[in-house]
Amino acid sequence: MKKHQIRIVGGAYRRTPISVPEGEHLRPTPDRVRETLFNWLAHFWDGTFTGRRVLDLFAGTGALGFEAASRGVEIAQLVEQAVPALAGLRAVQARLKAPAIRIHTGEACAFLRAQPAPSYDLVMLDPPFGANWLPRLLPLLDRALLPGGLLYLESEAPLDALPPEWTLLRQGRAGQVHYGLTRFAATQKNMNNGRFGPS
């Protein structure tokens, strides 16, 4: 199977290649978008990633989670259920030997439901498009994300219908992909009444 590569764009593991198998329907976040996201995070986190805990719920190639580990977060928790993607994640983890990286095999909603208490400063959501994931995920995020924490998301739809519990801080577009950084309010009551994504 042919492969192409992306690279970690910043931090301690900068330029580390990550293989992307063709035909596995992986859609890694482009270099330019990742650089933009981590510039945003540096702004809101006063230039330091030390002590931050981040969760990448649809890890895929691991581009977002490995980028976070490269910048120095305390924990970069990657969640993935596809066997080929998991093999790629573990290969990069073994190469980097980064203590921050954790890999969990499983489904995103099940992972959130199993969280004993909120503990993450950032959740990154880049779910498969066309599967209506966001309305299912948003009501569960308070199980993992600390009040006032940040949510990064990518969507095929504009980010103009977020529930009122979220404040859109930054947004951009790369081709057909809309992406943005939002802040999580202290409560998510009635989140199911919020409309987001395709109906």
Side-chain angles (χ1 to χ4, degrees):
M1 179 178 294
K2 292 182 179 180
K3 297 182 179 181
H4 69 276
Q5 292 184 335
I6 58 174
R7 292 182 181 273
I8 296 175
V9 298
Y13 311 129
R14 184 180 179 186
R15 298 191 180 92
T16 298
I18 300 173
S19 294
V20 183
E22 294 183 3
E24 297 299 338
H25 308 293
L26 296 176
R27 181 179 39 80
T29 302
D31 293 0
R32 179 174 61 84
V33 175
R34 276 183 282 128
E35 186 170 14
T36 297
L37 165 61
F38 282 88
N39 286 341
W40 290 345
L41 293 172
H43 170 75
F44 287 106
W45 287 347
D46 297 323
T48 180
F49 293 81
T50 303
R52 299 292 183 176
R53 299 168 60 94
V54 306
L55 171 62
D56 185 359
L57 270 177
F58 294 85
T61 64
L64 290 170
F66 293 137
E67 196 76 53
S70 184
R71 308 296 177 116
V73 300
E74 178 184 351
I75 298 293
Q77 175 69 65
L78 283 61
V79 177
E80 180 56 59
Q81 61 179 346
V83 173
L86 283 163
L89 293 175
R90 293 190 179 109
V92 178
Q93 180 187 36
R95 190 188 321 152
L96 295 179
K97 297 180 173 62
I101 297 170
R102 315 284 173 82
I103 297 174
H104 174 84
T105 303
E107 189 265 346
C109 290
F111 180 88
L112 291 174
R113 291 190 184 100
Q115 295 308 294
S119 62
Y120 294 98
D121 301 285
L122 168 70
V123 173
M124 299 181 287
L125 292 182
D126 182 11
F129 287 176
N132 209 29
W133 272 105
L134 290 175
R136 285 180 274 165
L137 290 163
L138 288 174
L140 299 173
L141 289 178
D142 61 342
R143 295 171 177 264
L145 190 58
L146 292 165
L150 300 175
L151 169 69
Y152 169 76
L153 54 88
E154 295 185 17
S155 173
E156 70 270 42
L159 308 180
D160 58 1
L162 285 167
E165 292 84 358
W166 297 91
T167 300
L168 185 61
L169 303 172
R170 298 284 191 276
Q171 63 179 319
R173 183 175 179 180
Q176 300 302 309
V177 178
H178 299 263
Y179 60 95
L181 188 67
T182 73
R183 189 179 299 282
F184 176 59
T187 178
Q188 282 189 278
K189 291 180 180 178
N190 302 318
M191 177 67 83
N192 284 320
N193 294 328
R195 181 180 62 83
F196 192 91
S199 58

